[in-house]
Amino acid sequence: MSPQGRTRLRLVLRDLSATSAFASIVLSGSVPAWALVAYLLALFTSLAGRRPLSTRPTFSVLLLLLTGLVLFGAAFRGLMDLIVAACVFAGLVTSHRMLSESTRGTDQQVQLTSLLMLAGGAALTGELWYGACLGAFAITSSLSLALGVLEPEGGSEEHFDVKPVMGRVGTGTAFAVAGAVAFFVLFPRLSWNIAARRQPPGLLGGTTGMSDSVRLGGAGDIKSNPRVVARVRLSPDPGVDNLDAYFPGRSFDVFDGREWKGSGVAKRPRQLVSFKRPTRKTVSQNIELLPAYGSRTLIALEHPIGFNNVTAVGSAGSARTPVVEVADEEVRVELPGNGYTYTALSDPDATLDALEDPSRYDALPSELDPRIGQLAAHVLNGEARPLQAALLLQKYLQRDFTYTLELEGSPADPLAEFLFVRKSGHCEHFATALTVLLRSQGFAARVTAGFFGGERIGSAYVLRAGDAHAWTQVFVPGQGWVTVDATPEAGRQNQPARVLAWLTSMYERLEDLWRARVVDYSFQDQLQFAQQLVRPPQSATKSEEVTAPLPGAAPVAAAAVTAVVVYVVVQRLGRKRRAGDYRRNKASGFLDQIEARLSRAGIVRLPGEAIEELTLRLTDGAHPMAPALAKATRAYLGARFGGASLSADEQARLLAALTPPRVG
Amino acid sequence: MSFWKRLRARWRAPRGLKFTRSGRTFFVVTIGIGLGALNTGNNLLYLVLGLLLSLIVVSGVLSEYCVRDVKVRRLLPDAAHAAEPFAMRYELQRERGLGFALSIRELAPGLTGEAFVAVVRAGEPTIVRAQLTAARRGPYPLAELEVSTLFPFGLFAKTRRLELPETLLVFPRRGFACVEPPESGGAPAGDGGNPRRRDGTGDLLGLRELSHGEDARRVHWLKSATYGRLLRVEREREERRQFVLSLAERLEGEALETRCEELAALARRLLDRGHEVGLDTGGHRIRPGGGPGHERRVLSALAWVGFER
């Protein structure tokens, strides 16, 4: 490869390594948009081979320092996180160096500032993509640095193949990554992860759609969104692959004909919310609401009886946060955060004898289409029991109505449109229809929004944005709120494209592995690992172990023969290669043999004397070996520097002539 | 070699390892990340720390591969003058594997400069050139040289010392102007001393019969065969003078250096003009002569003055 080609490759690799490091902090979502734009501009300018700052070093450095002062001033005044400010400054320094004149020193500065960004990224994010950025940085920066050291300070005009360099450094980097993993696993964790951060949802924003109201109309785009918004660990663990459970978040009691709203009153913030005492059947849930969740409403399995240990995780770290209970409506977090973790307790057998304010749950909109009440009465045919009535209406809706996400237009009365015209809709239409039909017959009912689903990935169940759902809860005296879901089963869970679902599932598995094995790796895990090494888990029964047959003599013999064959082949190949090396080096080898002959004859080269000078000296002194030595020297010089051929026979002949004279 | 030198050589580490400037910064950053990981318990920082430490170890292993199997042969220059760069060549050879970014440096004090080669392949001797500069004239005992590499990341310079005993003779400094010395007192001896003889190497003057005892190398064989008797060629003899340059015995230090440089410049100038030059350094005497070989003998003698022991 030509020197220009090598330089170009080195700079591209350098820029890619810097970009990997910068991406690791961009992942956190904390980088201001202007810094991102500035870096991208610098990257593309550098990739285009332009170095505009090489002509204005002083001005650009002053500008950089000024930007640094502004950034750290903002951090000092609390307008920006200090780590984010430091990372952004490192990114700007990297951009500056990328646009400056390219030298080995500049390259190394880019790598070092990139390293600082990578360390900052480790503090700002814990996502799987960070691992990808780290790997990409390790490979590209290693190759770039290696290509840099191959060039002498003053530059070089030498052409050579860089593939061997790439191969050697690539292998070395692979070993370095393996070493990093070994260090990571074995180095004792003496402290806890006290600086965990959760990045903001990024450019896509929160996708859950958990808002203050449920408005009928519009397409249900969210059902095809596979983004994971929550992870739930259950205790006791049901161990099933698909949980198919309801996770209510918020209930709505007031319907105005188009929109559901809540009328609950918020209580004062508390560190924990407890409705009832736990029982044996209480299910504990460690829930993590991810940045994509995009709401402060807490979710839990049906019949939640308590929420505690609520922690808001933000860009500046994690902090316990109080929660606010809105009576019969929702429990939400007081302080904003990018994500939340908490423990929820749910009791499937929890009962409620009577409602505090029943009038909240049977009110109807003032301009309700009269056909709705008639329809309900017709379907119920005098059924007075709330649960049976709800089930009858559910059966009617699931039989005569279809589920669709493709809804066009914005009708004036969306409920009547759904019930009497379109006869198709999504979960909000079904839930609203069932609730209003029940209320029209005097039953207390409400619409609840939350999630339905739970796909097992690793040890946790994940909830996706597409699992967002709305359903009806009917009040049954003595039992409390009972869920009756009118939406056809096929429309309850998320419905992404098959390939997308597979990809997101794979990603989630990797992400889960990353979180379990890397981000949350602890001293406890190290102890377990050590125990497994000392005392491996017994998968087989004792009797099986005892009776397990030892390998017979034949496999051992075969292994031994194979080992011997491999050894012999390797030895022969090595010998052949060494012989080949010698052939390529015949001139130098020939000189060594000449010197050995001369040495045996007692002729020693003087310090600093070349072979041709020795030949002249012997010729001047009329040494008897001089003529033979002159021929051999001429042949050596011709082969070594003149490109002349020197066969093995000729070498042997010339060496044979170099015999010491016989005395007497 | 003295006892202490031998002891020191025995106890010396087989390899030298030195931080480069960026290597120092890398090390400081690694320490900082390590402290950050210990302080916060952030697992990703542990991962980065592990990667950086592994890169240091890999750097050491790969650089060892580069310098371990390399053989060096020194090819001394034809002429090296003090205080001016001269080309020293090295033949590098490996039996197996590849060597990258190798620098070769002489460890003799007073010699500066190094050679660099990007790639050395197995079985392919590679000649590299170093632009060395010697501070003074005289013999330089080249006992050891240093092969080092910055490969793979430029963070550390791994160095291996190779024993390669040889002597480099550096001629006196060039570039001195001096007055021409007086002609030697002694008359030129033999045939070559008589300017009137027609036995020079200049233009052809004629042919004559070869007298008894005359040099047979002057015979013109073609004409002799034509005329049936031995004829010799007579050529015009160029004006040549003999000079014997002498060096006072008692000179030392700067005066000696200056005188050596003057004599070297004089010898070169006189020889260039076709004169014959001899040298008398007190303990050593060179008879007047001419030609490039003689110039080398004179310069070598001047280089050795003061270093005979």
Side-chain angles (χ1 to χ4, degrees):
Chain A
M1 184 180 267
S2 68
Q4 293 78 15
R6 287 198 304 271
T7 305
R8 173 92 186 126
L9 178 62
R10 173 169 59 85
L11 293 178
V12 168
L13 286 169
R14 180 198 73 176
D15 293 350
L16 288 179
S17 70
T19 305
S20 306
F22 191 75
S24 75
I25 58 169
V26 171
L27 280 177
S28 71
S30 314
V31 176
W34 63 265
L36 182 60
V37 171
Y39 181 83
L40 288 176
L41 274 177
L43 173 68
F44 290 125
T45 311
S46 176
L47 286 175
R50 302 191 175 192
R51 320 268 165 223
L53 298 186
S54 57
T55 54
R56 303 181 195 87
T58 313
F59 172 73
S60 58
V61 167
L62 283 175
L63 194 64
L64 189 65
L65 287 176
L66 191 66
T67 316
L69 281 174
V70 171
L71 278 171
F72 287 107
F76 182 71
R77 297 196 60 174
L79 301 173
M80 185 183 257
D81 183 72
L82 182 62
I83 295 180
V84 175
C87 286
V88 169
F89 184 62
L92 292 177
V93 173
T94 307
S95 309
H96 181 270
R97 297 284 79 197
M98 279 160 57
L99 297 179
S100 300
E101 192 175 352
S102 167
T103 62
R104 190 193 288 177
T106 316
D107 288 6
Q108 287 171 341
Q109 286 158 6
V110 168
Q111 304 294 356
L112 287 170
T113 49
S114 301
L115 199 53
L116 292 175
M117 284 195 285
L118 209 61
L124 290 174
T125 181
E127 298 304 302
L128 173 63
W129 287 110
Y130 179 83
C133 290
L134 183 63
F137 174 81
I139 293 167
T140 49
S141 68
S142 301
L143 294 176
S144 166
L145 286 171
L147 286 176
V149 299
L150 289 181
E151 306 295 331
E153 278 298 337
S156 162
E157 292 300 317
E158 196 180 351
H159 287 61
F160 57 83
D161 189 12
V162 296
K163 277 183 192 164
V165 186
M166 298 291 200
R168 180 68 62 86
V169 177
T171 311
T173 308
F175 275 105
V177 171
V181 171
F183 175 87
F184 179 82
V185 171
L186 299 174
F187 190 84
R189 297 296 190 278
L190 304 173
S191 53
W192 286 263
N193 195 352
I194 56 173
R197 289 164 179 248
R198 181 66 67 197
Q199 79 277 26
L203 298 175
L204 295 176
T207 54
T208 311
M210 193 81 78
S211 61
D212 291 340
S213 62
V214 171
R215 188 177 180 86
L216 290 184
D221 296 334
I222 200 168
K223 295 303 284 184
S224 59
N225 190 332
R227 282 181 87 185
V228 174
V229 295
R231 288 194 182 87
V232 184
R233 283 188 170 77
L234 300 179
S235 175
D237 189 347
V240 294
D241 288 339
N242 290 304
L243 200 58
D244 288 343
Y246 290 91
F247 287 85
R250 187 166 189 175
S251 299
F252 301 96
D253 54 357
V254 179
F255 182 58
D256 63 0
R258 293 187 63 88
E259 192 174 36
W260 285 97
K261 283 189 175 172
S263 63
V265 179
K267 298 179 180 175
R268 64 180 178 81
R270 287 176 289 171
Q271 286 297 327
L272 61 91
V273 171
S274 179
F275 308 122
K276 284 185 179 175
R277 305 190 90 182
T279 65
R280 279 184 167 189
K281 291 192 174 177
T282 298
V283 179
S284 173
Q285 307 137 67
N286 287 321
I287 298 179
E288 184 182 5
L289 300 179
L290 301 176
Y293 182 68
S295 171
R296 290 198 221 173
T297 302
L298 301 185
I299 56 171
L301 282 172
E302 282 193 295
H303 306 297
I305 59 170
F307 295 89
N308 56 51
N309 295 330
V310 184
T311 304
V313 188
S315 301
S318 56
R320 292 290 290 273
T321 175
V323 288
V324 176
E325 180 197 351
V326 182
D328 289 330
E329 194 173 312
E330 68 166 337
V331 176
R332 66 166 181 258
V333 185
E334 172 74 358
L335 297 176
N338 296 330
Y340 306 97
T341 60
Y342 58 95
T343 303
L345 300 173
S346 296
D347 187 353
D349 294 340
T351 57
L352 185 64
D353 293 332
L355 291 169
E356 286 182 11
D357 183 7
S359 62
R360 283 176 63 187
Y361 302 104
D362 57 9
L364 290 167
S366 54
E367 295 177 358
L368 187 69
D369 191 319
R371 291 178 295 171
I372 293 175
Q374 294 164 9
L375 175 66
H378 172 72
V379 173
L380 293 181
N381 196 21
E383 177 59 59
R385 294 169 296 177
L387 185 55
Q388 278 68 21
L391 292 173
L392 279 173
L393 288 169
Q394 178 199 35
K395 194 175 175 184
Y396 164 73
L397 289 170
Q398 289 186 346
R399 185 188 63 214
D400 292 0
F401 291 72
T402 54
Y403 183 88
T404 182
L405 294 171
E406 295 166 5
L407 295 171
E408 292 176 357
S410 179
D413 186 349
L415 181 58
E417 176 88 1
F418 169 67
L419 285 172
F420 305 113
V421 182
R422 285 183 175 163
K423 295 208 170 191
S424 63
H426 51 71
C427 59
E428 291 172 356
H429 295 93
F430 282 95
T432 302
L434 179 56
T435 307
V436 172
L437 287 168
L438 283 169
R439 285 190 179 187
S440 70
Q441 300 306 305
F443 299 112
R446 66 184 183 184
V447 166
T448 299
F451 292 85
F452 175 81
E455 177 191 348
R456 186 166 190 113
I457 290 181
S459 59
Y461 291 95
V462 297
L463 295 174
R464 301 178 187 279
D467 291 331
H469 190 46
W471 61 93
T472 300
Q473 285 186 318
V474 59
F475 184 76
V476 180
Q479 288 187 41
W481 292 106
V482 177
T483 294
V484 181
D485 194 350
T487 308
E489 278 189 26
R492 292 177 188 169
Q493 279 183 301
N494 70 90
Q495 298 155 19
R498 181 174 288 182
V499 176
L500 193 61
W502 183 81
L503 285 175
T504 51
S505 175
M506 292 303 293
Y507 175 78
E508 282 306 318
R509 283 174 206 284
L510 281 175
E511 173 91 12
D512 186 69
L513 205 64
W514 171 260
R515 292 173 65 80
R517 303 285 184 212
V518 179
V519 178
D520 297 332
Y521 190 69
S522 65
F523 189 61
Q524 186 70 26
D525 296 316
Q526 288 184 311
L527 284 179
Q528 281 181 0
F529 178 69
Q531 280 175 348
Q532 282 177 355
L533 287 180
V534 176
R535 203 179 305 155
Q538 296 179 344
S539 56
T541 62
K542 208 166 187 177
S543 59
E544 281 172 339
E545 279 179 18
V546 171
T547 56
L550 288 169
V556 173
V561 169
T562 309
V564 169
V565 169
V566 168
Y567 176 78
V568 170
V569 169
V570 168
Q571 286 293 315
R572 291 212 168 178
L573 284 176
R575 211 174 297 153
K576 193 179 270 185
R577 195 173 61 187
R578 282 194 292 277
D581 294 348
Y582 176 72
R583 276 197 295 276
R584 282 198 293 275
N585 186 28
K586 57 189 176 186
S588 297
F590 182 53
L591 180 60
D592 293 340
Q593 293 179 65
I594 293 174
E595 284 182 336
R597 295 268 175 155
L598 293 175
S599 178
R600 278 204 290 276
I603 300 168
V604 182
R605 275 207 279 169
L606 298 175
E609 190 178 41
I611 186 69
E612 53 270 31
E613 290 172 336
L614 171 67
T615 309
L616 282 175
R617 180 159 63 86
L618 293 186
T619 307
D620 287 348
H623 194 281
M625 284 177 72
L629 179 61
K631 287 180 183 172
T633 303
R634 206 173 302 124
Y636 159 70
L637 293 173
R640 182 69 190 87
F641 301 107
S645 62
L646 183 60
S647 67
D649 292 341
E650 194 179 350
Q651 283 184 45
R653 190 174 54 74
L654 291 166
L655 288 171
L658 267 178
T659 46
R662 291 186 181 175
V663 180
Chain B
M1 195 187 284
S2 72
F3 171 75
W4 288 114
K5 276 187 177 174
R6 269 183 292 168
L7 193 68
R8 211 164 51 190
R10 179 175 281 270
W11 284 97
R12 193 174 57 206
R15 301 284 185 272
L17 195 65
K18 204 166 65 176
F19 278 113
T20 61
R21 209 167 79 173
S22 61
R24 264 195 301 274
T25 316
F26 179 87
F27 190 70
V28 169
V29 170
T30 306
I31 297 276
I33 289 175
L35 290 175
L38 287 173
N39 195 31
T40 63
N42 185 319
N43 274 330
L44 294 184
L45 282 179
Y46 275 110
L47 198 60
V48 176
L49 175 66
L51 182 68
L52 298 185
L53 293 176
S54 301
L55 283 176
I56 290 174
V57 173
V58 164
S59 171
V61 173
L62 291 185
S63 58
E64 175 61 24
Y65 271 117
C66 284
V67 299
R68 189 177 60 181
D69 189 36
V70 67
K71 287 180 183 170
V72 181
R73 190 164 157 241
R74 194 188 280 121
L75 304 171
L76 291 170
D78 289 339
H81 292 269
E84 69 180 73
F86 59 91
M88 176 83 96
R89 288 176 173 79
Y90 301 93
E91 184 191 78
L92 280 81
Q93 197 177 343
R94 294 177 65 89
E95 283 187 8
R96 55 185 178 168
L98 294 157
F100 300 109
L102 294 170
S103 300
I104 300 111
R105 195 169 66 88
E106 293 289 351
L107 291 175
L111 274 182
T112 56
E114 64 178 29
F116 178 85
V117 59
V119 183
V120 178
R121 291 179 177 80
E124 293 179 25
T126 307
I127 304 280
V128 289
R129 194 182 71 170
Q131 286 287 96
L132 297 187
T133 306
R136 57 153 180 86
R137 69 168 176 90
Y140 281 77
L142 306 175
E144 287 180 310
L145 55 77
E146 198 177 71
V147 179
S148 62
T149 182
L150 292 175
F151 190 80
F153 306 128
L155 305 174
F156 312 95
K158 170 73 71 71
T159 305
R160 179 185 166 204
R161 287 184 172 199
L162 294 172
E163 286 188 7
L164 210 63
E166 272 179 299
T167 301
L168 170 71
L169 192 60
V170 176
F171 298 153
R173 196 152 55 116
R174 288 195 285 202
F176 265 73
C178 50
V179 292
E180 199 160 318
E183 196 171 343
S184 169
D191 285 350
N194 186 353
R196 290 181 297 277
R197 298 293 295 265
R198 300 152 69 95
D199 59 353
T201 55
D203 293 336
L204 184 68
L205 292 177
L207 297 170
R208 69 168 172 80
E209 196 163 352
L210 183 75
S211 304
H212 180 71
E214 282 188 323
D215 192 348
R217 287 179 297 181
R218 292 274 178 174
V219 172
H220 193 294
W221 295 107
L222 190 64
K223 293 291 180 188
S224 298
T226 306
Y227 291 104
R229 60 181 192 275
L230 290 174
L231 298 176
R232 62 158 289 174
V233 179
E234 287 186 318
R235 288 182 182 277
E236 185 181 36
R237 191 178 189 283
E238 292 163 346
E239 190 65 22
R240 255 194 323 191
R241 295 161 63 193
Q242 285 191 340
F243 297 91
V244 175
L245 308 176
S246 61
L247 183 68
E249 280 188 54
R250 288 190 298 274
L251 286 177
E252 281 183 348
E254 199 58 36
L256 175 63
E257 295 301 317
T258 309
R259 183 61 185 154
C260 283
E261 287 163 10
E262 281 178 355
L263 290 183
L266 263 178
R268 192 173 301 111
R269 191 192 301 170
L270 294 172
L271 288 167
D272 284 349
R273 289 180 186 169
H275 301 306
E276 292 181 345
V277 175
L279 181 68
D280 183 4
T281 61
H284 186 61
R285 186 178 170 82
I286 298 175
R287 293 175 63 190
H294 190 73
E295 180 185 353
R296 188 178 170 81
R297 273 194 290 277
V298 170
L299 292 176
S300 297
L302 285 170
W304 276 103
V305 172
F307 297 97
E308 290 87 351
R309 291 180 186 178

